[in-house]
Amino acid sequence: MSGAGISTAAGIPDFRSPSAGLYFKLKKYNLPYPEAVFDGGYFKQNPLPFYSLCREMYPSKLTPTTTHKFFTLLRDKGLLRRVYTQNIDALEFLAGLTEEEVIEAHGSFQKSYCTKCDKTYNLEWLKREMFAPETNEGVPKCDVCKSVVRPDIVLFGEGLPNNFHKKMSPDFCCM
């Protein structure tokens, strides 16, 4: 099981650092409460603060850390059953793990989908749209129906992915 600590070395900020964490950077968005930027209900009302923060915080280059590479080494030696991660950065995949070897408890930016018609998009599309706010009013829009596209992540108030629950029991039954 892994969390934010393994990705900070890759330049991905954690939530709580006093001067660089995500919560510190939220003050300028005039949110009703700091966590609103990650709240599923608030995102439906106003996705702009979420995407503004993403543009500000997204690293220019994503590179797996030594820990991510260590997971791959464990796999290669037959010692890894699966990695469960809270992180949404998908660095485990960049380190060489497969979808079967990683459970993203909070989803990731690797995939995104239209909130209306469910059309799916990949990370390259989402990044292109996210970093072209002048073309979409700051919020990526579906090519088909023009509704909001969001990354396939778990926001506050939403349940964990089915895959998490499906794999958890068999993976942890023998511990």
Side-chain angles (χ1 to χ4, degrees):
M1 298 184 83
S2 64
I6 70 165
S7 292
T8 54
I12 297 171
D14 64 22
F15 279 64
R16 293 172 187 89
S17 295
S19 63
L22 294 176
Y23 287 135
F24 176 80
K25 297 185 179 284
L26 296 175
K27 294 177 183 178
K28 65 182 162 200
Y29 295 116
N30 298 319
L31 299 165
Y33 51 97
E35 295 85 2
V37 75
F38 300 114
D39 184 280
Y42 190 79
F43 181 91
K44 289 176 186 172
Q45 295 173 14
N46 184 8
L48 184 58
F50 174 84
Y51 280 114
S52 297
L53 181 65
C54 288
R55 278 189 290 279
E56 180 182 349
M57 305 292 285
Y58 203 92
S60 58
K61 184 177 181 187
L62 279 174
T63 305
T65 66
T66 303
T67 304
H68 295 100
K69 294 173 186 173
F70 181 66
F71 292 149
T72 304
L73 176 65
L74 290 173
R75 188 261 331 262
D76 293 347
K77 293 194 174 285
L79 300 172
L80 180 75
R81 181 178 295 178
R82 209 172 325 276
V83 172
Y84 283 74
T85 182
Q86 297 178 50
N87 297 336
I88 60 174
D89 52 42
L91 288 174
E92 295 81 8
F93 300 110
L94 292 177
L97 295 180
T98 66
E99 284 193 30
E100 183 58 30
E101 296 166 329
V102 179
I103 300 296
E104 297 169 305
H106 295 159
S108 81
F109 275 75
Q110 188 167 294
K111 299 174 190 166
S112 55
Y113 64 92
C114 174
T115 56
K116 185 175 182 181
C117 75
D118 289 326
K119 180 175 180 185
T120 59
Y121 296 91
N122 64 24
L123 177 59
E124 282 35 340
W125 182 93
L126 182 63
K127 281 173 53 178
R128 184 179 64 246
E129 294 300 308
M130 223 170 35
F131 288 101
E134 66 284 350
T135 65
N136 55 27
E137 299 167 334
V139 177
K141 305 284 189 336
C142 179
D143 296 335
V144 176
C145 71
K146 306 302 178 207
S147 291
V148 173
V149 171
R150 65 170 271 187
D152 193 11
I153 61 172
V154 176
L155 297 172
F156 294 147
E158 299 174 339
L160 297 178
N162 289 335
N163 199 30
F164 176 84
H165 299 289
K166 179 179 167 187
K167 301 286 186 180
M168 186 175 61
S169 290
D171 283 353
F172 292 104
C173 74
C174 303
M175 301 191 96

